[in-house]
Amino acid sequence: QVQLVESGGGLVQAGGSLRLSCAASGSIFSLNTVGWYRQAPGKQRELVAVLTGGGSTNYADSVKGRFTISRDNAKNTVYLQMNSLKPEDTAVYYCNAELKSSKGDVARNYWGKGTLVTVSS
C-alpha cells in the first residue's frame, strides 16, 4: 500500500519561508512525475509546481521565482521550498505522485492528505 505523507506546514508571517516535504512509502519501484497542489478556502484545487522524472519543472505563475520543487529519489521524498510567502499563499497543500509499485505495474496516481500553510499579514 503506497502512502504519501506531507509535513512542514504551519503558521508563518508574510515574507517568511517554509519547506514542505512529502514522503512516499510502501511498495515503490519508480517515482515518476511529482507535484504540489493547493486548495484555499472556497476555491478549487490548483497546481503549484510539477517536477517530471526527467527533471522538467512547471510552476504556477503566482509562485514563479518564490517556490522551488525538488526531489530526493533515494528517499522517495519531494520538497517544496516556499520563500517570500504572501497571505494569498494560505491553503492546504497536497502532494501528488505518479509511481509504479513494481516493474510490471502501470503507473498510478496518488495523493497525500495535505498540510495546512497559513501566512499572516
Side-chain angles (χ1 to χ4, degrees), residues 37-41 45 89-94 113-117:
Y37 293 73
R38 67 186 181 187
Q39 187 166 17
R45 190 174 298 188
D89 293 319
T90 295
V92 177
Y93 284 71
Y94 297 92
K113 293 183 177 181
T115 185
L116 177 63
V117 172

Side-chain angles (χ1 to χ4, degrees), residues 2 5 23 65 74 85 98-99 104 116:
V2 173
V5 179
L85 283 161
E98 180 188 77
L99 61 88
L116 177 63

